[in-house]
Amino acid sequence: MNILVLNGHPNLTQSVANASILALEAEQLGWHINSVAQFDGDIASEQQQLLDADVIVVQFPLYWSTYPAVLKHWIDEVFTYGFAFGPNGSQLQGKPVLFSITAGATEDSYSETGFNFLPFNAYQQAYEHPFRAAAVDIIDTIISFEMNSTAAEGGNKSNTLSLAKAHADRVIAAVNSYKDHSV
């Protein structure tokens, strides 16, 4: 199976959690990482990668409770009228998509009384919107909180690496489970 991982992190050299997760996913047979921050404007190539994928994993850190600007830009360019939506669009219809998300904040902060003011599912609607418009099949969302490795912000690198390993294991298991049930 061809698993396409869309890496939505803008700069992996500054990442602990996403870099670790993506490294573990890259070790999997048939998994291919597409770093959208390196998008060169070849829309047809990006669209073909999506069409060729058996499963798409969208990997990104929450930035102000949504995906980073590089992923938004990529979606704006690649999810075009006639491809992802519109009368002749929906070429991704039924394509299985799994969201793999890291958040530096605590799970409790995603509530009406928490730092992020709303429950996580309120933010989830925004980042899912273009994928739902493309009529994909969202098979799962895996999110790990407290993925902060910056000591000055209360983070812990060792803890983040441990959480990243557990997160990657969950993503890989979810994709493998999907593959086993779709055959």
Side-chain angles (χ1 to χ4, degrees):
M1 255 191 170
N2 179 14
I3 311 304
L4 175 64
V5 180
L6 299 174
N7 164 24
H9 197 288
N11 186 348
L12 282 181
T13 63
Q14 297 177 349
S15 171
V16 172
N18 282 261
S20 298
I21 292 165
L22 289 162
L24 292 167
E25 291 172 349
E27 293 174 357
Q28 304 304 304
L29 185 63
W31 289 53
H32 308 281
I33 311 296
N34 177 358
S35 295
V36 302
Q38 297 171 352
F39 173 56
D40 64 3
D42 187 347
I43 294 168
S45 174
E46 299 294 312
Q47 290 175 339
Q48 192 60 53
Q49 285 184 61
L50 292 167
L51 293 172
D52 291 345
D54 296 307
V55 178
I56 300 166
V57 176
V58 185
Q59 173 67 51
F60 63 93
L62 277 182
Y63 274 25
W64 287 104
S65 303
T66 190
Y67 37 61
V70 295
L71 183 54
K72 172 71 166 94
H73 172 73
W74 183 89
I75 291 167
D76 288 347
E77 295 295 318
V78 175
F79 278 41
T80 58
Y81 183 82
F83 174 73
F85 67 99
N88 297 316
S90 298
Q91 292 182 43
L92 300 175
Q93 184 172 4
K95 184 75 65 172
V97 171
L98 181 144
F99 289 101
S100 172
I101 304 164
T102 60
T106 64
E107 187 172 3
D108 292 345
S109 74
Y110 287 91
S111 67
E112 291 180 9
T113 58
F115 170 79
N116 289 295
F117 309 112
L118 294 170
F120 176 75
N121 66 356
Y123 297 108
Q124 188 172 357
Q125 293 172 19
Y127 70 73
E128 283 184 356
H129 179 263
F131 293 89
R132 288 192 180 279
V136 303
D137 178 17
I138 298 172
I139 59 173
D140 206 349
T141 296
I142 296 174
I143 181 165
S144 293
F145 298 95
E146 300 184 51
M147 297 287 254
N148 178 5
S149 63
T150 307
E153 296 175 2
N156 178 296
K157 185 174 181 179
S158 177
N159 185 57
T160 299
L161 287 169
S162 176
L163 290 170
K165 167 84 168 81
H167 182 97
D169 289 346
R170 288 174 47 211
V171 171
I172 293 164
V175 169
N176 288 337
S177 177
Y178 174 81
K179 289 183 339 188
D180 292 345
H181 291 92
S182 67
V183 177

